[in-house]
Amino acid sequence: MTVAAAGVTLVIFTCESREHLLVKTFQSFSAACGYKFQKVILAIDGQVDPAAIAQINPDVILQYTKRRGYAHSISKALKLIDTPYFFWLEDDWTFHRNIDAPYYTQILSDHPDWAEIVFSKDGPLVAVSKVKPLGENLYETTFGFSANPCFCNTGHLQQAFQLLEHAPKGDKLGEDGFENFLSKTFEKQNIKCVMADPVDHLPISHEGFLESTPRNWHMTNSLETKTSNHLMTIPVPSIARRLLMVFKLVSAFCRLAIGQLGNNKIYEFCFRVIASAKTIKKDE
C-alpha cells in the first residue's frame, strides 16, 4: 500500500485560553498545506471556545474539560491515530512556505527507522546542526526528538509513549520532559530523529513564547501527578532582581498603553499580555 492510499492524520494540540493562537495557526497551516488528511484530530486540554473548535472542524475531538497536561493529551491522542504517519501541530506556529506532505511521508516510508522529520524554526541549519547528514538536505538532529511541527512515524511514537506510561517519571527540567524521554528512547533503539534543512529560507516561526504553558505540564510525572511548584526555566531571582522587575514592568506597560492607542500590532500584543495574565493562576 502506498503512503497516499494509507493516509496521513493531522493531530493538533491546544489548551485553554489559546484560541487566538489556535485559529491563526490552523489558518496559516491550511494555507501552506493543501493535503487532504485522512483524519483531523484536535486534542484540547481544558476549556476552549466552541467557536474556535468549529473553525477547525475536526473529525475527532479529544478534550479534558479540566486541564491534565500536555503529556496526557499526547498519550491519549496517539491512541486514536490509525494511519502509519501523522503531522504533529501545536497551536502556536506560523508557516511561511508550502508543505509537501506526500514528499515527507514518502521519505518516512522509505526509512522505517526514522521517528520524525521536523521543520527548522531557525531557518537554514548551521554547521553544528549538520554533522550527521542523511541526504536530500536532511540531517539527524543533535538534540533528539522535537515536538515542533513535524511528520511522524505513528508506530514509533505510540510505542515510545507506551514505554513512558510504565517508566519511572520525574519533574527535573532537561531530563524528565516528554521530549527528553522520547529522545533517550529513540537513541537506545537506534531510531533517528531528522530535521529538514530549508537551505535558504525560514519555513516556520514560533508565535507562542508569550503564552508558553508551565513546564510542569510537559514533565513525565504529569501523567500521574503534576508537580505543584512552578518549574523555573531561569535561575530563581533574588529580592533585588524582583524589585528591579517591578520598575521595568511599570515602564514597559506605560509605553505599551500609550503605543496601543495608535498601533494595531502593539494593541494585539497588549491583548495577549492581558489574556496571559488572566490565566496564570488557572495554569498553576
Side-chain angles (χ1 to χ4, degrees):
M1 181 181 292
T2 65
V3 174
V8 182
T9 299
L10 171 62
V11 185
I12 308 171
F13 295 99
T14 192
C15 63
E16 61 187 31
S17 303
R18 292 166 65 95
E19 291 91 340
H20 55 294
L21 292 172
L22 171 63
V23 171
K24 289 176 67 174
T25 292
F26 184 71
Q27 291 173 343
S28 177
F29 179 76
S30 298
C33 184
Y35 181 79
K36 178 63 175 177
F37 290 94
Q38 180 168 307
K39 183 188 296 183
V40 177
I41 299 173
L42 178 60
I44 307 169
D45 190 26
Q47 298 286 348
V48 168
D49 185 348
I53 299 175
Q55 290 195 53
I56 308 301
N57 191 28
D59 300 295
V60 178
I61 300 172
L62 169 67
Q63 183 174 18
Y64 291 110
T65 55
K66 183 177 180 180
R67 289 199 68 183
R68 297 188 65 184
Y70 191 14
H72 261 288
S73 287
I74 299 168
S75 178
K76 299 305 180 185
L78 285 172
K79 295 175 181 178
L80 300 176
I81 305 172
D82 54 12
T83 56
Y85 309 102
F86 71 96
F87 191 85
W88 185 315
L89 179 61
E90 296 173 333
D91 61 7
D92 54 0
W93 293 92
T94 295
F95 295 81
H96 305 293
R97 291 293 182 94
N98 290 339
I99 297 172
D100 189 344
Y103 171 75
Y104 288 109
T105 50
Q106 186 60 55
I107 292 176
L108 284 176
S109 177
D110 294 338
H111 299 86
D113 61 335
W114 291 12
E116 68 169 344
I117 300 176
V118 63
F119 294 99
S120 171
K121 65 179 180 181
D122 300 313
L125 302 188
V126 296
V128 294
S129 299
K130 299 165 68 172
V131 294
K132 299 179 179 180
L134 299 169
E136 299 186 72
N137 293 318
L138 298 169
Y139 298 83
E140 184 173 357
T141 66
T142 57
F143 47 78
F145 183 84
S146 169
N148 289 353
C150 57
F151 286 98
C152 297
N153 180 306
T154 304
H156 290 324
L157 270 296
Q158 288 175 334
Q159 181 188 49
F161 257 82
Q162 287 174 358
L163 292 174
L164 174 56
E165 290 177 1
H166 302 286
K169 300 170 180 64
D171 64 356
K172 188 173 182 180
L173 288 170
E175 292 187 15
D176 294 322
F178 72 85
E179 288 174 303
N180 303 122
F181 181 86
L182 293 177
S183 297
K184 289 181 281 190
T185 298
F186 291 145
E187 183 178 15
K188 290 177 183 177
Q189 298 175 342
N190 293 317
I191 294 173
K192 295 179 175 62
C193 297
V194 179
M195 178 171 280
D197 181 10
V199 181
D200 60 0
H201 64 275
L202 180 69
I204 58 175
S205 56
H206 190 207
E207 305 296 337
F209 291 110
L210 185 62
E211 298 91 341
S212 180
T213 54
R215 294 300 93 184
N216 307 49
W217 294 120
H218 294 239
M219 296 298 106
T220 56
N221 71 336
S222 68
L223 287 170
E224 298 171 352
T225 303
K226 181 178 75 75
T227 300
S228 57
N229 294 330
H230 179 76
L231 298 178
M232 292 284 288
T233 57
I234 59 175
V236 177
S238 64
I239 292 297
R241 294 193 66 83
R242 290 179 189 273
L243 290 173
L244 177 61
M245 180 61 75
V246 171
F247 291 105
K248 289 182 176 180
L249 283 171
V250 170
S251 175
F253 279 121
C254 286
R255 293 196 304 271
L256 288 171
I258 295 172
Q260 61 86 27
L261 293 173
N263 186 301
N264 290 339
K265 182 177 180 180
I266 296 177
Y267 177 86
E268 184 178 44
F269 179 80
C270 291
F271 172 84
R272 293 172 63 183
V273 170
I274 298 301
S276 299
K278 288 180 179 179
T279 64
I280 289 176
K281 289 296 183 182
K282 190 184 297 184
D283 282 341
E284 292 299 314

